[in-house]
């Protein structure tokens, strides 16, 4: 498994040799120093821990600073573990955009854009009620529970509430170009999250 942390910079387009336009998402991937390795013997699982986004020491807590210094790494805002084989990586190594090749299938995880409080039509794609003849149920959710028994709304009923701002994993994306000099990955497809957000990029086995 190949994994890296990246910052979503936005979308752009590139022109192919046959004149077609390809829309891509630009990710600033790494460099991500390896700060820890988890093993089956010591931790009960296998994982590699990566740091991303250098910052001042005052931005993070003292325990985090101590953990990073133990690995010989400066202060970073984000530290994330990726489960799976760590390959030949060792603590202190750095993972860069060069770990990915054009044509590689990847999946990207991040926090989706927050839409605020939304009703059932927008949030769950419910159908609306009749819009004429004095209807009072145009965008209301409709019946949400039984009558005398059990006389309450059951758990799990889809209703209005917070929309977005949840962890989303987008699969089936493709790396179309790697610009190693600028630590950039150009990805075909949409990536969750707003511009400037941190996302996790993994190869999609």
């Amino acid at each position: 498994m190949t994994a890296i942390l990246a910052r979503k910079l936005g979308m752009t387009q590139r022109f192919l040799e046959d004149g077609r336009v390809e829309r891509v998402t630009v990710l600033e991937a790494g460099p991500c120093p390896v700060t820890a390795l988890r093993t089956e013997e010591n931790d009960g699982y296998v994982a590699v821990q990566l740091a991303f986004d250098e910052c001042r020491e005052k931005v993070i807590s003292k325990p985090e600073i101590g953990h990073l210094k133990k690995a010989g790494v400066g202060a970073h805002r984000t530290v994330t573990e990726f489960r799976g084989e760590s390959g030949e990586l060792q603590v202190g190594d750095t993972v860069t955009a060069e770990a990915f090749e054009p044509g590689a299938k990847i999946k990207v995880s991040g926090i989706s854009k927050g839409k605020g409080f939304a009703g059932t039509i927008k949030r769950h794609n419910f159908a609306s009620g009749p819009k004429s003849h004095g209807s009072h149920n145009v965008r209301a959710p409709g019946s949400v529970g039984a009558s005398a028994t059990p006389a309450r709304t059951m758990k799990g009923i889809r209703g209005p509430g917070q929309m977005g701002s949840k962890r989303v994993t987008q699969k089936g994306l493709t790396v179309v170009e790697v610009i190693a000099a600028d630590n950039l990955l150009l990805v075909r497809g949409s990536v969750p999250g707003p511009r400037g957000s941190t996302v996790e990029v993994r190869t999609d086995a």
Side-chain angles (χ1 to χ4, degrees):
M1 181 194 73
T2 305
I4 198 170
L5 291 165
R7 179 182 293 107
K8 180 179 177 180
L9 299 183
M11 296 194 70
T12 186
Q13 59 187 16
R14 57 199 294 269
F15 292 90
L16 305 181
E17 294 181 357
D18 57 4
R20 292 185 296 114
V21 177
E22 186 174 45
R23 292 156 184 82
V24 294
T25 303
V26 183
L27 301 178
E28 181 184 358
C32 295
V34 178
T35 55
L37 294 175
R38 308 301 183 193
T39 61
E40 193 72 41
E41 296 77 14
N42 296 334
D43 307 287
Y45 65 98
V46 177
V48 57
Q49 188 183 88
L50 302 180
F52 178 65
D53 193 8
E54 290 189 51
C55 62
R56 296 174 296 170
E57 288 190 357
K58 64 181 293 184
V59 175
I60 61 178
S61 67
K62 289 184 178 180
E64 290 174 321
I65 294 173
H67 173 69
L68 293 173
K69 284 186 175 180
K70 184 178 179 181
V73 178
H76 288 70
R77 291 181 189 272
T78 305
V79 176
T80 302
E81 284 188 3
F82 295 90
R83 291 209 177 197
E85 296 296 331
S86 59
E88 303 297 328
L89 292 175
Q90 300 294 328
V91 175
D93 292 349
T94 301
V95 180
T96 64
E98 294 178 318
F100 296 85
E101 298 180 353
K105 293 293 184 181
I106 62 172
K107 55 184 177 182
V108 180
S109 301
I111 304 299
S112 62
K113 291 183 179 180
K115 307 291 185 180
F117 189 92
T120 54
I121 291 180
K122 180 177 180 180
R123 189 182 187 205
H124 300 298
N125 199 29
F126 279 16
S128 62
K131 299 181 175 62
S132 60
H133 297 291
S135 171
H136 294 285
N137 186 24
V138 177
R139 296 182 70 87
S143 176
V144 293
S147 180
T149 304
R152 62 187 174 87
T153 301
M154 304 297 288
K155 290 183 178 180
I157 295 295
R158 293 177 297 168
Q162 167 68 36
M163 181 178 178
S165 192
K166 295 181 179 179
R167 181 179 171 85
V168 176
T169 299
Q170 185 68 45
K171 297 183 178 182
L173 304 179
T174 305
V175 176
V176 296
E177 187 175 351
V178 178
I179 306 177
D182 298 320
N183 297 315
L184 297 180
L185 294 177
L186 303 187
V187 178
R188 182 188 300 120
S190 60
V191 171
R195 288 191 298 270
S197 62
T198 300
V199 296
E200 304 167 10
V201 183
R202 302 176 180 85
T203 52
D204 193 1

